[in-house]
Amino acid sequence: MATRTLDELAPPMTARSVVLSLLLGTRPARLPGREITRTGELFGIAPSTMRAALSRMVAAGDLVATDSMYLLGARHREPQAVQEALVNPRRLPFAGRWHMVVVVVTGRDAAARGALRTTLAEHRYAELREGVWLRPDNLAGPDLPPLDEVHRFTTVPDDPGVLMRRLWDLDTWAAEARLILDALTVPGQSKERFMAAAAAVRHLRTDPALPDELRPGGWPADELRWAYDDYRAQFAELSMREEVEDEP
């Protein structure tokens, strides 16, 4: 697979997506309107356009407005928690066992097949062939939800290194992570750095979170995760300064 560019790795940025990307990645999920508007300007979004988008999002329940601050609405708080868990998987000691899921493919419509694939991918399974999904048994956190016509097994592969390479394109994943990392660690605030932060979230959600015993040398997932945390900390610090400046 060819390595994608930063534009291809980051989601398209509209006024609404800029706001949600900012707040989903901020702890606590609140930012001053001035900071949101300033970020929108990096993407050519006029302040009046961003203010109109904020008003629509408040009316729709996406946001809550308090004075000059905007908070993430209730409907997005659970997705934010899910995002946090997916970006920061908790790995456990690895005893060599793998989870295997065998899906009964027949009888599912396209929507059901797509939903099942999304669920398995979010739990960091990869597909060996149609209907057969695997991953190492090394993650804490919620197990797969109950699934119809799905059979689960525990297995120990003869050659886990070969299996791992068949399941994931690790070289491409690492190359794209380093591309994002380079853009994310440039000092200052810029359109490219914001796009890199959004791309980091997407990319880390697809990290196979392999055990140390199976990770390729120089695997960049943790470094990307730390750089993203540093970026969020800078935003939080800026938000606190803005909030203090807005106080009477």
Side-chain angles (χ1 to χ4, degrees):
M1 182 186 298
T3 303
R4 292 169 293 177
T5 65
L6 184 60
D7 284 340
E8 293 170 325
L9 290 165
M13 288 296 173
T14 63
R16 186 176 187 276
S17 63
V18 166
V19 175
L20 290 178
S21 292
L22 277 170
L23 288 170
L24 285 168
T26 302
R27 293 177 295 186
R30 52 182 288 158
L31 282 171
R34 279 190 294 175
E35 180 58 32
I36 295 172
T37 300
R38 187 179 301 135
T39 303
E41 289 178 318
L42 297 176
F43 292 86
I45 301 171
S48 58
T49 301
M50 182 60 80
R51 286 193 291 269
L54 289 170
S55 296
R56 288 193 299 270
M57 293 176 74
V58 170
D62 292 318
L63 304 176
V64 175
T66 58
D67 299 324
S68 61
M69 302 293 292
Y70 290 89
L71 289 69
L72 202 60
R75 72 171 66 174
H76 293 291
R77 289 174 196 156
E78 183 177 348
Q80 184 186 42
V82 170
Q83 175 172 292
E84 290 288 331
L86 290 173
V87 168
N88 297 284
R90 292 194 299 124
R91 296 186 300 141
L92 299 172
F94 180 54
R97 295 185 300 273
W98 286 59
H99 294 302
M100 181 168 67
V101 171
V102 178
V103 178
V104 178
V105 178
T106 57
R108 297 178 190 271
D109 60 26
R113 289 196 301 272
L116 180 57
R117 293 181 69 88
T118 297
T119 296
L120 289 166
E122 285 188 341
H123 284 77
R124 290 182 157 83
Y125 283 76
E127 193 172 27
L128 179 64
R129 59 180 176 83
E130 187 176 16
V132 179
W133 297 71
L134 297 102
R135 76 148 294 104
D137 178 13
N138 73 312
L139 291 183
D143 193 8
L144 283 169
L147 300 170
D148 294 332
E149 298 297 323
V150 168
H151 306 288
R152 304 185 193 186
F153 304 91
T154 299
T155 185
V156 178
D158 292 334
D159 193 332
V162 170
L163 176 59
M164 174 188 70
R165 291 284 179 178
R166 288 183 64 186
L167 291 169
W168 292 282
D169 185 353
L170 300 177
D171 293 338
T172 298
W173 195 96
E176 291 179 347
R178 294 187 184 101
L179 184 153
I180 297 168
L181 186 60
D182 287 345
L184 189 56
T185 52
V186 173
Q189 300 298 333
S190 65
K191 173 183 175 180
E192 289 72 23
R193 197 172 183 216
F194 184 87
M195 289 174 62
V201 171
R202 281 191 167 191
H203 207 55
L204 287 168
R205 289 176 66 136
T206 66
D207 173 19
L210 298 169
D212 289 339
E213 295 89 335
L214 297 179
R215 276 187 166 192
W219 188 247
D222 287 338
E223 190 176 357
L224 181 59
R225 198 168 285 115
W226 299 331
Y228 176 62
D229 283 343
D230 287 345
Y231 178 83
R232 293 201 300 180
Q234 291 173 23
F235 251 110
E237 181 181 352
L238 181 61
S239 172
M240 289 178 62
R241 287 205 304 266
E242 292 272 358
E243 192 169 359
V244 168
E245 290 172 3
D246 284 340
E247 290 178 357

